């Protein structure tokens, strides 16, 4: 049985078919204190989030670092995104937030593919059970960083490229372990501990950033707090 508390404060329980509702409720109650703590932390984080406007001056994440967004309207240039001296510079024909959002999303997808493939190649040396290079694709998802199909195809969320490299490695290793053990069994966690000791801390760090990097939101500093 697997109990997950999502950053949007949903509590989701995955249980094998033979387990009835009463057993599920008992399991949730036994873990009530931990669930409450995670819900409290996520609710607190949500207090300091506001919708993005995709205008100059906002901060956006890439590989765990924050970059200042700068939107410009230069003459005679194509629409593009550049990472320059600590800034994400977006050239547009007209400063339209939707155009900026789409250009930035496409830039993230392109960067994500390159980063994910590079990290997968590096991490395969640690997962001796993976015979050959597994297929890898990117797909935007609201509540998942990654997944692994029964056939061994790995899918990663392009938003993950906004997180620190250690967090990216954690997700890739997590999915590589699923090639050997598709369920979250004891064997799965033994493999995780083998390839990434203290992975729980990295997972917690990534979960804490979820609301900032999965959706169109950004943190703001509260007044008088």
């Amino acid at each position: 049985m697997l109990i997950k508390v999502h950053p949007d404060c949903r509590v989701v329980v995955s249980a094998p078919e033979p387990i009835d509702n009463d057993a599920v409720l008992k399991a949730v109650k036994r873990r009530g204190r931990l669930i409450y703590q995670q819900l409290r932390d996520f609710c607190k984080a949500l207090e300091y989030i506001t919708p993005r406007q995709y205008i100059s001056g906002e901060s956006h994440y890439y590989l765990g670092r924050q970059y200042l967004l700068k939107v410009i309207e230069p003459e005679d240039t194509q629409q593009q995104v550049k990472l320059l001296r600590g800034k994400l510079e977006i050239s547009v024909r007209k400063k339209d937030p939707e155009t900026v959002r789409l250009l930035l999303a496409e830039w993230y997808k392109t960067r994500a593919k390159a980063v994910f493939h590079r990290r997968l190649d590096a991490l395969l040396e640690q997962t001796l059970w993976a015979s050959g290079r597994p297929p890898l694709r990117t797909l935007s998802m609201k509540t998942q960083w990654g997944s692994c199909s029964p056939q061994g195809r790995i899918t990663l969320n392009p938003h993950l490229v906004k997180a620190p490299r250690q967090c990216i490695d954690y997700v890739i290793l997590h999915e590589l372990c699923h090639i050997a053990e598709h369920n979250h069994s004891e064997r799965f966690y033994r493999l995780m501990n083998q390839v990434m000791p203290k992975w729980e801390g990295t997972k917690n760090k990534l979960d804490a950033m979820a609301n900032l990097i999965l959706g169109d939101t950004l943190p703001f500093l509260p007044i008088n707090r």
Side-chain angles (χ1 to χ4, degrees):
M1 191 181 301
L2 180 65
I3 302 174
K4 284 186 178 181
V5 180
H6 291 272
D8 60 2
C9 296
R10 291 179 301 112
V11 180
V12 179
V13 181
S14 302
E17 214 169 279
I19 297 180
D20 59 26
N21 290 338
D22 288 340
V24 170
L25 288 173
K26 286 179 181 178
V28 172
K29 289 178 180 178
R30 283 198 302 270
R31 295 167 176 80
R33 185 174 181 179
L34 178 60
I35 292 171
Y36 170 77
Q37 289 173 343
Q38 289 182 307
L39 285 172
R40 182 189 59 191
D41 292 343
F42 284 139
C43 285
K44 187 176 180 180
L46 286 171
E47 291 179 7
Y48 308 118
I49 290 179
T50 186
R52 292 188 182 276
Q53 299 180 58
Y54 294 93
I55 57 176
S56 292
E58 286 183 349
S59 63
H60 291 254
Y61 284 90
Y62 176 64
L63 294 179
R65 291 185 58 190
Q66 285 183 283
Y67 291 87
L68 198 67
L69 185 66
K70 183 178 180 181
V71 183
I72 60 175
E73 292 179 288
E75 295 182 2
D76 302 324
T77 187
Q78 63 178 355
Q79 298 192 133
Q80 59 183 343
V81 180
K82 291 183 178 179
L83 193 62
L84 298 170
R85 296 180 295 277
K87 294 181 181 179
L88 272 169
E89 186 177 282
I90 301 184
S91 303
V92 290
R93 299 184 187 94
K94 183 181 178 182
K95 290 184 179 180
D96 171 56
E98 181 62 13
T99 300
V100 174
R101 185 186 71 80
L102 292 173
L103 283 170
L104 192 57
E106 193 59 36
W107 181 84
Y108 273 125
K109 287 179 182 178
T110 301
R111 287 292 181 115
K113 288 178 182 177
V115 171
F116 295 165
H117 280 281
R118 186 165 64 247
R119 295 311 304 155
L120 176 61
D121 288 339
L123 295 169
L124 278 172
E125 297 178 6
Q126 298 175 233
T127 54
L128 302 179
W129 59 83
S131 58
R133 193 178 192 276
L136 174 65
R137 68 166 182 166
T138 59
L139 178 68
S140 293
M141 297 176 278
K142 288 287 186 181
T143 60
Q144 285 183 287
W145 298 116
S147 65
C148 180
S149 73
Q151 294 75 34
R153 182 179 68 180
I154 293 175
T155 300
L156 297 177
N157 194 327
H159 289 292
L160 182 61
V161 80
K162 302 173 188 178
R165 197 193 77 175
Q166 185 183 21
C167 295
I168 296 172
D169 287 357
Y170 156 71
V171 176
I172 293 176
L173 287 169
H174 183 106
E175 303 311 332
L176 285 171
C177 286
H178 275 314
I179 291 178
E181 182 57 55
H182 202 65
N183 297 311
H184 291 98
S185 64
E186 289 185 12
R187 183 188 177 213
F188 170 85
Y189 289 112
R190 282 200 303 270
L191 290 174
M192 276 302 301
N193 288 325
Q194 175 184 321
V195 296
M196 181 178 263
K198 300 181 180 180
W199 57 267
E200 294 97 332
T202 304
K203 176 187 181 299
N204 292 337
K205 181 178 181 179
L206 180 59
D207 287 345
M209 297 181 67
N211 284 312
L212 300 178
I213 64 179
L214 272 178
D216 292 335
T217 55
L218 72 162
F220 68 95
L221 294 176
I223 299 172
N224 299 329
R225 290 286 294 256

